[in-house]
Amino acid sequence: MVSFKKTFVILLSLALLLQVSSIAIAAEEEIEYVPLQEEVLNPLGAASVWDVNTQSILFKLRNGMTGKVTVGSDQYELGTQVGRFPAAVQLDGSIMMIPEDDDFVKAVNLQNASANILDIAHQPPASLIEVKANLETEPSAQSGDSIDDPSIWIHPNDGNKSLIIGANKKANPGGIEVYNLDGNRIGAYGVGKMNNVDVRYNFMLNGQKVDIAASTNRTTNTINIFIINPDTSELTEVTGDHLESNMEEVYGFGLYQSHRSGKMYGLITGKEGEFEQWELYDNGNGKVDGKLVRELKIGSVTEGIVADDEYGKFYVAEENVAIWKYNAEPDGGLLPEAKIDTVDGIRLTEDVEGVTIYYGKNGEGYLIASSQGSDRYVIYDRKSGTYLTTFMIVDGDIDGTSETDGIDVQSFGLGDKYPNGIFITQDNTNAQSDGSIANQNFKIVPWEDIAKAPKKKLKIDNQNPRQLKKR
């Protein structure tokens, strides 16, 4: 009898344990997970980045409140408060998944609706002007999607000898291409599939100040650096051995020349929203090397990026979400300072591609973005971020532009042909007068044609890019 009782108790205990385990398993199975950025943060217009060091999503709501969610933890931070999810946060590939939690979503929505600090300006309705190109560069030697991003280099003594340096995504030939102000290709450097290019002045190398062009190379996954020779218009590559990115494939690129530290930086963006900031330096052997000084991941695919050297900021286009403004110094934090505008089909239509800065006098000027989905270019005030106007480049003697990738603008006079500077843009479909389609190229518009077109005229300044200063 005693043995039977013991056996009965054991069996009963096992049954209870199995029942409890079944309940626990069922409860665990009932927990649903949702993507934090795509379903919770992005619809609110919040900013979010992936911190690679802590395996966390950092986010900023419209009222300026910040939060943090970490993979493997059931805790989250919202302002000064700490809350708990019903289970630990998971990572599905590159997507952070959080357990469904009504309390968390309600708290985030409540804070997000309480103020609007993140949006730098309450943007007015869109307006549209039309301009025409007066020059185009030679078509690419390769068919298909080849030409991407241009950059304008100003000659130190003679504006007429200034150059257009472009990136070609088709390699051998391809790479970096150089054009004069008549649109003629005068040089090509087949170093790989180059995506975006930028130029800066007065970089110290071998004890001398040199002008450099730099680009992301999708063949080698590196930043490539070139010296620009003002006498011959030739480029000489000076890429060191330590400029290979950690991201799977480099994409967008811009240079930042700090007027706070005097240092030069390369800014790389990636197709998965990655961002890397590299400090560029003379390696003592006639080459330029770099070290990674900041790394984060923005919510989704990004390409266009431009630095404002005077104010120490950079702007990045998260193609289907927004244009964000960041502190450009390497210790400037991981979250953006502000949102310039939202990609909502009103002013900006996905994809938002190139971004560029028009440097005006006394810190004035404009931020310009390529709204690829609407074949338009959007202009914002450089200081306030306020939307000003939108322009299209329509058909004239030269065809208009469509589905633009990269853009650049220069306020400084480029000699006799362009005394008030130019705007230059990639053209995806290079239509000819006979109805045929030629290979891709760049189109050029005199800046004064854009500046004089709106009812409220834009500035026509001559700011020398070699004479920028800290603001």
Side-chain angles (χ1 to χ4, degrees):
M1 180 66 71
V2 173
S3 175
F4 173 77
K5 284 183 178 178
K6 285 182 178 179
T7 303
F8 178 76
V9 170
I10 291 170
L11 290 172
L12 181 62
S13 299
L14 287 170
L16 289 171
L17 283 171
L18 288 170
Q19 186 177 2
V20 170
S21 298
S22 299
I23 293 171
I25 292 170
E28 187 175 341
E29 288 177 348
E30 288 175 1
I31 295 175
E32 303 249 348
Y33 280 79
V34 296
L36 172 62
Q37 289 171 298
E38 289 81 354
E39 291 199 16
V40 180
L41 299 177
N42 288 353
L44 299 177
S48 62
V49 298
W50 170 255
D51 183 350
V52 295
N53 296 315
T54 64
Q55 295 282 288
S56 302
I57 291 287
L58 309 180
F59 60 90
K60 183 184 286 187
L61 303 177
R62 292 177 65 196
N63 68 348
M65 178 176 284
T66 60
K68 180 179 180 180
V69 179
T70 303
V71 173
S73 173
D74 64 352
Q75 291 188 348
Y76 62 83
E77 298 175 18
L78 187 59
T80 59
Q81 303 299 311
V82 176
R84 285 187 178 277
F85 294 116
V89 174
Q90 299 179 358
L91 196 62
D92 183 3
S94 62
I95 299 174
M96 178 178 278
M97 306 293 290
I98 62 169
E100 276 192 339
D101 187 336
D102 290 343
D103 291 339
F104 172 75
V105 173
K106 287 178 182 177
V108 168
N109 276 276
L110 180 64
Q111 293 296 337
N112 194 66
S114 64
N116 189 8
I117 296 171
L118 182 60
D119 289 3
I120 199 167
H122 298 283
Q123 302 294 11
S127 61
L128 180 64
I129 57 177
E130 295 181 350
V131 297
K132 297 177 181 179
N134 82 331
L135 188 78
E136 58 184 337
T137 62
E138 285 185 38
S140 169
Q142 297 83 23
S143 60
D145 188 18
S146 57
I147 298 296
D148 194 289
D149 183 60
S151 192
I152 305 159
W153 172 77
I154 303 297
H155 192 278
N157 305 314
D158 185 352
N160 293 292
K161 296 179 181 179
S162 299
L163 303 172
I164 297 164
I165 302 175
N168 188 322
K169 292 179 286 193
K170 299 285 184 76
N172 301 321
I176 294 294
E177 301 188 336
V178 182
Y179 305 83
N180 61 25
L181 294 184
D182 292 321
N184 300 316
R185 187 184 297 105
I186 60 174
Y189 303 83
V191 294
K193 299 177 182 179
M194 313 305 279
N195 203 83
N196 289 73
V197 62
D198 206 358
V199 303
R200 285 300 187 276
Y201 308 91
N202 302 321
F203 180 78
M204 292 300 299
L205 186 65
N206 289 329
Q208 296 182 329
K209 290 182 178 180
V210 297
D211 299 342
I212 62 170
S215 175
T216 36
N217 187 331
R218 291 166 67 175
T219 301
T220 58
N221 218 44
T222 58
I223 302 172
N224 286 40
I225 315 289
F226 304 83
I227 293 174
I228 306 167
N229 187 319
D231 297 322
T232 65
S233 299
E234 294 178 339
L235 305 187
T236 301
E237 187 172 4
V238 289
T239 305
D241 298 326
H242 304 290
L243 285 168
E244 184 173 354
S245 170
N246 292 333
M247 64 183 68
E248 185 173 340
E249 183 181 20
V250 295
Y251 199 31
F253 181 76
L255 287 168
Y256 168 54
Q257 190 169 22
S258 173
H259 289 275
R260 284 134 184 87
S261 66
K263 295 179 179 180
M264 187 80 74
Y265 299 95
L267 310 176
I268 311 176
T269 60
K271 288 190 174 182
E272 299 296 325
E274 306 99 325
F275 168 83
E276 293 177 354
Q277 181 166 2
W278 288 74
E279 181 182 330
L280 307 178
Y281 60 88
D282 180 346
N283 69 4
N285 298 311
K287 303 289 186 179
V288 179
D289 266 314
K291 62 179 180 180
L292 184 62
V293 293
R294 182 162 54 161
E295 188 176 11
L296 58 90
K297 184 178 178 183
I298 300 166
S300 60
V301 57
T302 58
E303 180 178 10
I305 187 167
V306 66
D308 187 326
D309 293 353
E310 291 194 319
Y311 286 107
K313 311 296 180 184
F314 73 80
Y315 300 87
V316 63
E318 187 177 359
E319 292 187 359
N320 304 323
V321 179
I323 299 175
W324 303 103
K325 178 182 180 180
Y326 280 82
N327 187 314
E329 293 297 312
D331 60 354
L334 300 180
L335 283 166
E337 293 184 348
K339 179 168 61 178
I340 300 300
D341 207 353
T342 301
V343 182
D344 57 6
I346 299 173
R347 289 166 298 275
L348 297 173
T349 302
E350 60 183 56
D351 300 343
V352 179
E353 293 281 341
V355 283
T356 185
I357 297 287
Y358 178 96
Y359 286 100
K361 298 288 188 182
N362 303 315
E364 302 290 335
Y366 309 106
L367 170 70
I368 307 176
S370 164
S371 176
Q372 188 181 76
S374 59
D375 303 331
R376 299 178 181 187
Y377 310 93
V378 187
I379 304 179
Y380 302 89
D381 183 86
R382 176 184 168 206
K383 292 175 70 175
S384 69
T386 301
Y387 167 81
L388 298 175
T389 193
T390 301
F391 68 95
M392 295 183 70
I393 301 176
V394 299
D395 291 343
D397 293 335
I398 297 170
D399 67 303
T401 58
S402 61
E403 298 182 40
T404 292
D405 278 329
I407 59 176
D408 198 17
V409 69
Q410 182 55 248
S411 65
F412 196 62
L414 280 70
D416 303 329
K417 185 182 289 287
Y418 298 108
N420 297 306
I422 62 172
F423 175 82
I424 182 169
T425 173
Q426 182 261 10
D427 182 20
N428 182 71
T429 305
N430 185 17
Q432 305 300 292
S433 57
D434 62 2
S436 64
I437 303 297
N439 292 342
Q440 294 178 343
N441 67 349
F442 297 114
K443 301 294 196 294
I444 297 173
V445 181
W447 174 253
E448 64 266 25
D449 290 358
I450 299 169
K452 294 177 180 179
K455 289 183 179 179
K456 186 175 181 180
K457 310 303 180 191
L458 302 176
K459 293 180 180 296
I460 300 177
D461 285 339
N462 263 268
Q463 173 62 55
N464 191 333
R466 300 175 184 274
Q467 297 175 359
L468 303 181
K469 62 182 181 181
K470 176 182 175 182
R471 297 191 185 279

